[in-house]
């Protein structure tokens, strides 16, 4: 997505209560937690140590790069930046917190570099990933605990190593024992526990739909959020624009506050709260749409996002734009778990310009064409822009499947 900070992407987009989404055969469940004041202090210390170790790891890799040395491995960094560092006066305070989240910070740093290099070499789909950056205190804070760092207690409390027993607002049940938990503190000061749960591969599998009509293309747009088969539309929710307006207003208020003042800190929290609320509402809405589409269709064909093209229209706003990428990612994940076909059509496929009746490239083109809603082809066909695009995307998707180009 444009103008999105890749460093923020991980958490900022995922937090809702409860959130549930799949990656491979793993699901993530997030719940609000309410730490006591002393627990908040212990968590603040832990977040600080996690950030320090992460930043030290980035610094170590940067300096190795500058000096032309090989990148230090995670095991080397573990020895140097955790075990040895605890013996030094500058880093002795690392010993006050659990080692588990510190080791996870090194893993995160390693993963961030891997994503960056994969992206550089074109081995990674989606938007380009920048090099890992130093973490700052004002961002979302996280600490991840693997099984030896946390425990679920019979009384419903979540026990975290060297922090204590946290009160959790359980809004649904965890299907099996989680393999890890990440404690998150958002910019607005809310705390969450986000569990990763390995689930049965077939838990979400749906009965196959044997009717040929149960297939749809999806044309993402500006006028409506998406157009499905037969011109069925998913309207852009009104709250997208409403939240956008609220956000703008709060950001303007923030920009007027004096740097370092208490009012500025308050205004920053107000902005963060609107961000979080927006994400929660958007997540909820997206999950609903995805569920309906996957429930009703055996195969779903989408156009790979041309983010630039979409954001050039004046209607395009960040809430709306961001939602497209998330929508496709969830659709893909849900389709995989449900046993549905999901195919991405190449972004250069001219879905809008192609006349679905005769196959000529007679449709609206370029930036000016963005405004054209209806058009007619020389062959006599009259087209609604989005309905025509959906037909083309669906046919192209079906062709890819038939020719064995798409994995299903
Ligand atoms: Zn035509």
């Amino acid at each position: 997505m444009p103008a999105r900070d890749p460093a923020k992407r991980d958490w900022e987009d995922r937090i809702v209560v409860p959130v549930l989404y799949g990656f491979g055969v793993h699901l993530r469940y997030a719940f609000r937690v309410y730490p006591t004041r002393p627990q908040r202090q212990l968590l603040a210390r832990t977040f600080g140590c996690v950030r320090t170790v992460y930043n030290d790891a980035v610094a170590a890799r940067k300096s190795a790069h500058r000096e032309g040395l090989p990148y230090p491995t995670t095991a080397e960094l573990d020895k140097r930046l955790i075990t040895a560092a605890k013996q030094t006066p500058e880093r002795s305070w690392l010993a006050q917190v659990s080692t588990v989240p510190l080791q996870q910070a090194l893993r995160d740093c390693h993963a961030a570099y891997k994503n960056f290099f994969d992206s550089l070499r074109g081995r990674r789909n989606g938007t380009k990933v920048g090099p890992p950056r130093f973490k700052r205190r004002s961002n979302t804070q996280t600490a991840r605990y693997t099984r030896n760092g946390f425990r679920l207690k019979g009384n419903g409390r979540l026990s975290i190593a060297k922090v204590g027993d946290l009160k959790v607002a359980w809004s649904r049940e965890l299907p099996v024992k989680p393999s890890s938990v990440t404690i998150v503190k958002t910019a607005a000061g809310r705390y969450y526990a986000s569990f990763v749960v390995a689930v049965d591969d077939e838990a979400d599998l749906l009965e196959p739909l044997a009717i040929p009509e149960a297939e749809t293309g999806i044309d993402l747009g500006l006028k409506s959020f998406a157009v499905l088969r037969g011109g069925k539309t998913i309207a852009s929710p009104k709250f997208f624009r409403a939240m956008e307006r609220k956000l703008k207003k709060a950001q303007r208020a923030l920009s007027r506050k004096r740097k370092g003042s208490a009012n500025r800190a308050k205004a920053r929290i107000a902005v963060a709260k609107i961000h979080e609320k927006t994400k929660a509402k958007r997540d909820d809405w997206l999950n609903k749409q995805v569920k309906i589409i996957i429930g009703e269709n055996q195969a779903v064909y989408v156009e790979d996002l041309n983010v630039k093209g979409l954001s050039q229209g004046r209607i395009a706003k960040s809430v709306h734009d961001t939602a497209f990428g998330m929508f496709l990612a969830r659709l893909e994940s849900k389709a995989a778990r449900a046993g549905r076909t999901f195919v991405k059509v190449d972004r250069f496929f001219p879905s809008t310009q192609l006349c679905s009746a005769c196959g000529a490239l007679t449709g609206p083109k370029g930036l000016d064409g963005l405004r054209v809603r209806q058009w007619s082809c020389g062959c006599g066909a009259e087209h609604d822009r989005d309905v025509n695009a959906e037909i083309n995307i669906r046919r192209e998707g079906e062709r890819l499947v038939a020719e064995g180009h798409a994995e299903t």
Side-chain angles (χ1 to χ4, degrees):
M1 299 289 98
R4 272 174 75 199
D5 179 356
K8 278 187 182 167
R9 182 170 306 170
D10 264 356
W11 283 105
E12 302 257 318
D13 287 338
R14 289 177 186 173
I15 294 161
V16 284
V17 189
V19 62
L20 171 62
Y21 67 92
F23 47 103
V25 288
H26 292 88
L27 294 176
R28 195 182 282 281
Y29 290 78
F31 304 93
R32 186 95 182 254
V33 292
Y34 298 90
T36 61
R37 186 187 287 268
Q39 287 172 343
R40 288 203 294 270
Q41 283 164 357
L42 292 169
L43 283 171
R45 185 179 289 166
T46 309
F47 294 142
C49 291
V50 165
R51 205 168 50 237
T52 300
V53 169
Y54 185 91
N55 288 346
D56 285 351
V58 173
R61 293 198 142 194
K62 276 188 201 286
S63 89
H65 178 69
R66 260 196 316 273
E67 290 161 26
L69 297 170
Y71 273 124
T73 64
T74 302
E76 280 166 35
L77 291 176
D78 191 332
K79 270 189 216 135
R80 202 196 318 165
L81 304 178
I82 301 175
T83 316
K86 281 179 186 173
Q87 311 302 323
T88 67
E90 299 82 35
R91 294 279 185 267
S92 59
W93 36 271
L94 290 177
Q96 295 173 350
V97 306
S98 164
T99 309
V100 177
L102 305 184
Q103 288 168 334
Q104 294 302 314
L106 294 179
R107 297 228 165 81
D108 287 347
C109 180
H110 177 75
Y113 270 99
K114 186 176 183 306
N115 287 341
F116 169 54
F117 289 126
D118 284 354
S119 182
L120 271 186
R121 291 170 193 144
R123 281 193 213 144
R124 201 173 182 277
N125 293 329
T127 43
K128 285 272 172 223
V129 175
R133 301 196 306 187
F134 293 115
K135 286 193 194 293
R136 290 181 306 146
R137 201 160 64 101
S138 55
N139 290 344
T140 299
Q141 312 278 303
T142 63
R144 189 165 68 246
Y145 296 83
T146 43
R147 272 195 184 135
N148 49 351
F150 77 98
R151 201 156 60 87
L152 290 170
K153 292 191 139 185
N155 60 4
R157 297 285 167 124
L158 166 63
S159 179
I160 298 285
K162 293 206 181 183
V163 174
D165 295 356
L166 300 175
K167 188 179 156 195
V168 183
W170 297 107
S171 42
R172 66 162 86 199
E173 222 162 299
L174 293 170
V176 286
K177 206 175 160 197
S179 55
S180 79
V181 63
T182 304
I183 304 296
V184 183
K185 186 192 177 196
T186 70
R190 293 193 184 97
Y191 292 81
Y192 296 90
S194 175
F195 296 92
V196 168
V197 175
V199 289
D200 182 352
D201 215 349
E202 308 196 335
D204 285 345
L205 211 58
L206 296 175
E207 279 292 309
L209 298 166
I211 28 172
E213 289 75 35
E215 301 204 340
T216 187
I218 298 182
D219 180 50
L220 297 174
L222 297 169
K223 189 166 157 273
S224 43
F225 186 80
V227 174
L228 309 182
R229 187 177 189 141
K232 186 176 167 187
T233 58
I234 300 175
S236 269
K238 287 206 174 73
F239 71 80
F240 276 11
R241 300 297 300 277
M243 298 310 270
E244 205 77 56
R245 276 195 296 274
K246 273 191 192 167
L247 207 51
K248 266 202 175 143
K249 207 174 145 196
Q251 273 159 345
R252 267 203 304 276
L254 171 64
S255 69
R256 284 195 298 266
K257 302 286 185 286
R258 200 163 39 82
K259 280 220 169 101
S261 69
N263 279 334
R264 191 180 172 87
K266 259 190 225 159
R268 191 179 298 118
I269 289 174
V271 170
K273 275 192 178 151
I274 298 170
H275 263 300
E276 282 165 26
K277 198 172 171 192
T278 306
K279 279 165 209 145
K281 283 180 96 164
R282 186 180 55 200
D283 263 7
D284 187 48
W285 183 81
L286 285 172
N287 286 345
K288 270 188 201 132
Q289 307 310 320
V290 165
K291 195 176 172 194
I292 295 170
I293 293 171
I294 294 299
E296 290 176 350
N297 291 285
Q298 183 61 33
V300 175
Y301 308 106
V302 304
E303 214 167 4
D304 205 358
L305 265 189
N306 180 356
V307 177
K308 277 204 189 83
L310 286 169
S311 49
Q312 274 162 347
R314 76 195 149 78
I315 317 157
K317 298 275 190 213
S318 66
V319 175
H320 187 261
D321 268 14
T322 312
F324 283 133
M326 295 173 67
F327 174 68
L328 292 187
R330 278 175 205 203
L331 205 55
E332 182 167 14
S333 150
K334 181 90 180 160
R337 283 179 290 137
R340 303 301 208 215
T341 300
F342 177 91
V343 179
K344 259 186 197 166
V345 167
D346 191 280
R347 72 178 60 183
F348 298 111
F349 174 70
S351 60
T352 306
Q353 294 169 33
L354 206 61
C355 167
S356 57
C358 74
L361 286 170
T362 47
K365 294 175 185 66
L367 270 185
D368 287 340
L370 276 175
R371 261 165 294 175
V372 179
R373 308 303 325 166
Q374 313 277 341
W375 56 282
S376 42
C377 177
C379 73
E382 297 284 327
H383 291 298
D384 172 281
R385 172 204 183 86
D386 302 330
V387 173
N388 178 61
E390 184 278 330
I391 296 171
N392 288 327
I393 292 167
R394 171 155 43 91
R395 278 194 195 143
E396 176 67 4
E398 285 167 345
R399 186 186 70 82
L400 290 172
V401 173
E403 293 183 1
H405 294 312
E407 278 187 49
T408 57

